Amino acid sequence: MSDIILGIESSCDDTSAAVVKDGILLSNIIASQKVHESYGGVVPELASRAHIQNIVPVVNEALRQAGIDRQDLSAIAFTRGPGLLGSLLVGTSFAKGLAISLDIPTIDVNHLHAHVLSHFVRQLPEDEVPEFPYMCLLISGGNSQIILVHSPYDMEIIGRTIDDAAGEAFDKCAKVMGLPYPGGPHIDRLATEGDPLKFKFSKPHIPDLDYSFSGLKTSFLYTLRDALKTDPDFIAENMPDLAASLQHTIIEILLHKLSLALEHHPVRHLAIGGGVSANSGVRAAIADFCARHKIRAWIPPRPFTTDNAAMVAIAGYFKYRQKDFASLDLPAYSRVTI
């Protein structure tokens, strides 16, 4: 009998549902929310309301595209946290209600854990997956972590940000430049046209394998402030170069700690995950880094870099095989590490 998992993701501003059958992805539906763009960031209450509107049609479409009847589901995996609490409650409550009606178990999934395991989302049985143990650089709007992945059930954080994450640095600097939200993709686009060595920004001197991006952000803001005093058009005239230099500096910070991590924890496979792993500069730099270190690079397809239910379903599939089910009284949580 096949193991068929419905995954539900609602941690922030994307409502997503996916179906995995025996570890193979059958469907992955995402409904994005445009309502936040005019506010320059996600508005939690608006996100929650949009999830309520989207979750039923998204789940129905995921089942339809997968060719699966809800009565055939083995379990429902849902993102329990971290994320926006109101958004998480929509997905959590829906998953529990549907599971009760079908008399099947629920599986709670850590959102960060799911990003790390996104490389195990297979669309064909012959698709390759990382070899354990591997190292994962998790880079998103709220997290920058270096993780040793010993197995789907055993992950060790060996480095993390002590303040801002890489994604925050991209988005906050982009906002100061007058770019729309989310700013990361706009920085990525502009960086292809600019000189990455035109401007120099501060780099952190943090011990061990931890990250810090607050100093970079402050250095970027001071550069703009000082230049605007004498040239009101400075940002407009230097937009591509600013974007390229910012991206170049963030990548250098990320790779410096990865080099140190490999010295202490040699592995044969290195993966990246999270929203910032969609950045073309980061993807190219990681591919080059792995080639130089003679290790296998795992760079996720862009649809699996942002919040999606495919990664939740595959993380749930691993837990289902261990019979690691969730109690119906488990609450959602907004903050946690892996």
Side-chain angles (χ1 to χ4, degrees), residues 121-138:
V121 176
R122 293 182 297 150
Q123 296 175 290
L124 295 171
E126 59 268 27
D127 288 346
E128 293 184 288
V129 295
E131 172 187 296
F132 296 109
Y134 67 92
M135 187 176 294
C136 181
L137 174 63
L138 177 60

Side-chain angles (χ1 to χ4, degrees), residues 10-11 44 48 80 82-90 92 331-334:
S10 67
S11 64
S48 301
R80 185 179 165 211
L84 299 176
L85 191 57
S87 295
L88 290 164
L89 286 173
V90 176
T92 298
Y333 53 79
S334 59

Side-chain angles (χ1 to χ4, degrees), residues 38 96 103 132 167 242 247 249 264 269 319:
S38 59
K96 291 178 180 179
D103 194 25
F132 296 109
L242 286 167
Q247 180 170 285
T249 306
H264 294 90
H269 293 237
K319 296 186 75 172

Side-chain angles (χ1 to χ4, degrees), residues 39-70:
Y39 296 94
V42 177
V43 181
E45 179 62 26
L46 295 179
S48 301
R49 293 179 184 179
H51 282 303
I52 293 172
Q53 295 173 334
N54 292 336
I55 194 163
V56 171
V58 164
V59 168
N60 284 340
E61 182 62 16
L63 292 171
R64 188 193 69 79
Q65 287 197 15
I68 297 294
D69 187 276
R70 67 186 62 189

Side-chain angles (χ1 to χ4, degrees), residues 183-232:
H186 296 285
I187 293 290
D188 189 15
R189 173 180 54 81
L190 287 166
T192 62
E193 307 168 9
D195 178 1
L197 303 179
K198 177 69 174 294
F199 299 100
K200 300 293 183 182
F201 304 118
S202 297
K203 298 177 185 176
H205 298 282
I206 306 299
D208 302 320
L209 300 178
D210 288 336
Y211 285 114
S212 170
F213 292 94
S214 63
L216 165 63
K217 184 183 65 178
T218 301
S219 173
F220 185 86
L221 296 178
Y222 282 171
T223 297
L224 297 191
R225 183 200 63 180
D226 294 343
L228 288 171
K229 290 178 180 177
T230 57
D231 182 4

Side-chain angles (χ1 to χ4, degrees), residues 28-175:
N28 184 41
I29 306 300
I30 302 174
S32 299
Q33 302 175 8
K34 301 295 185 182
V35 67
H36 309 285
E37 292 180 358
S38 59
Y39 296 94
V42 177
V43 181
E45 179 62 26
L46 295 179
S48 301
R49 293 179 184 179
H51 282 303
I52 293 172
Q53 295 173 334
N54 292 336
I55 194 163
V56 171
V58 164
V59 168
N60 284 340
E61 182 62 16
L63 292 171
R64 188 193 69 79
Q65 287 197 15
I68 297 294
D69 187 276
R70 67 186 62 189
Q71 301 296 332
D72 297 326
L73 293 174
S74 304
I76 301 174
F78 63 93
T79 300
R80 185 179 165 211
L84 299 176
L85 191 57
S87 295
L88 290 164
L89 286 173
V90 176
T92 298
S93 301
F94 182 89
K96 291 178 180 179
L98 182 57
I100 290 172
S101 72
L102 298 173
D103 194 25
I104 58 176
T106 58
I107 302 168
D108 66 306
V109 171
N110 181 310
H111 181 74
L112 306 183
H113 189 163
H115 271 303
V116 174
L117 294 176
S118 63
H119 301 276
F120 290 86
V121 176
R122 293 182 297 150
Q123 296 175 290
L124 295 171
E126 59 268 27
D127 288 346
E128 293 184 288
V129 295
E131 172 187 296
F132 296 109
Y134 67 92
M135 187 176 294
C136 181
L137 174 63
L138 177 60
I139 37 178
S140 65
N143 295 276
S144 295
Q145 299 177 345
I146 303 175
I147 303 161
L148 279 180
V149 187
H150 302 288
S151 79
Y153 325 102
D154 183 9
M155 301 184 187
E156 177 188 359
I157 300 175
I158 58 176
R160 71 183 81 202
T161 183
I162 63 173
D163 43 55
D164 290 346
E168 287 179 285
F170 274 123
D171 286 340
K172 291 179 179 178
C173 291
K175 186 174 182 179

